[in-house]
Amino acid sequence: MKRLLLVTAAVAGLAASLPAAAQFQKPEDAVKYRQSAMYVMANHFGRIGAMVNGRAPYDAAAAAANAEIVATMSKLPFIGFVEGTAGTQKGSAAAKIWTNRSGFDADAKTMQDAVAKLVAASKTNSLDNLKGAFGDVGKACKGCHDEFRNP
Amino acid sequence: MKRLLLVTAAVAGLAASLPAAAQFQKPEDAVKYRQSAMYVMANHFGRIGAMVNGRAPYDAAAAAANAEIVATMSKLPFIGFVEGTAGTQKGSAAAKIWTNRSGFDADAKTMQDAVAKLVAASKTNSLDNLKGAFGDVGKACKGCHDEFRNP
């Protein structure tokens, strides 16, 4: 548990230090960056989902490893949501992200908080705990996508 | 320094637990995954590069934050180099990855070791240290790309 707290503290530190360095050479780079970070996050979240949904055997160590990666990734995409990238080719970010940035940021934090609980649940060696925390992260994903992602 | 060691231990733990869960639904997913992980890694490595090359002011905290993300990302792409994805559309992985997997894995480890030194250097508050470690990572990237990536 001590290790978990220290890792979480380190990740929080990363996020705090990132905005100052949040630069992209062109809008497309920011779109590709956030989509890449989301894709990696979704992949590792999906590996936990396979266990939760019975498509893969429950493996507590793998669940915990994947949850930690999800936690790291959960901090990253948001530096890619820079102004001017709403209508960028291939992007599906809704323009309202930039007219309601505080709402968007709040949704991001809701997700990150749910992911932190997923990390904790993944260390308890309980599939039931994992299922509950996984569902809460899924709800947080969907809540933000419904509001801030174009179909 | 204690925090750094604990974070590094956690990341090493992640990598050790990953192979068992390394599944993709189709080859294209594995290609997209590894390219996404590489893109995120390259972006954060590039943010350090901007400081090293004088295009951005040296910010020790930002350098350290980015180095830690590079370290996490450096473990991820390789689960995406699954057999059968050499000729996949859009992929640039050379077929020799799978005829010389031990050489490829050795190159990956060389890069990861260089990244671990970059993380250490980023905590010393010395731009010179950062420059040296950055250059070594760049050499490791190039060495593997020259050998195992199609032009």
Side-chain angles (χ1 to χ4, degrees), chain A residues 115-149:
Chain A
V115 167
K117 289 179 182 168
L118 176 67
V119 171
S122 75
K123 314 263 183 191
T124 62
N125 282 326
S126 158
L127 181 56
D128 281 343
N129 287 351
L130 191 70
K131 283 181 181 175
F134 177 87
D136 289 342
V137 174
K139 276 178 213 156
C141 294
K142 185 177 186 305
C144 191
H145 289 169
D146 286 351
E147 183 75 14
F148 292 109
R149 187 172 69 169

Side-chain angles (χ1 to χ4, degrees), chain A residues 85-101:
Chain A
T85 59
T88 308
Q89 192 186 12
K90 292 186 180 174
S92 53
K96 76 170 79 164
I97 289 172
W98 293 278
T99 56
N100 182 18
R101 183 78 200 205

Side-chain angles (χ1 to χ4, degrees), chain A residues 6 21-24 33 44 47, chain B residues 6 21-24 33 44 47:
Chain A
L6 285 158
Q23 294 127 9
F24 294 92
Y33 173 85
H44 291 280
R47 286 162 194 262
Chain B
L6 286 158
Q23 294 128 6
F24 295 92
Y33 173 86
H44 291 280
R47 287 163 193 261

Side-chain angles (χ1 to χ4, degrees), chain A residues 35-51:
Chain A
Q35 290 180 340
S36 295
M38 288 278 193
Y39 191 82
V40 172
M41 177 164 58
N43 180 282
H44 291 280
F45 186 58
R47 286 162 194 262
I48 298 171
M51 297 181 208

Side-chain angles (χ1 to χ4, degrees), chain B residues 26-32 34-35 80 82-93 98 150:
Chain B
K26 50 185 196 292
E28 290 78 6
D29 291 350
V31 175
K32 186 172 178 182
R34 70 195 189 212
Q35 290 180 340
V82 292
E83 295 248 27
T85 59
T88 309
Q89 192 185 11
K90 292 187 180 174
S92 53
W98 292 277
N150 290 329

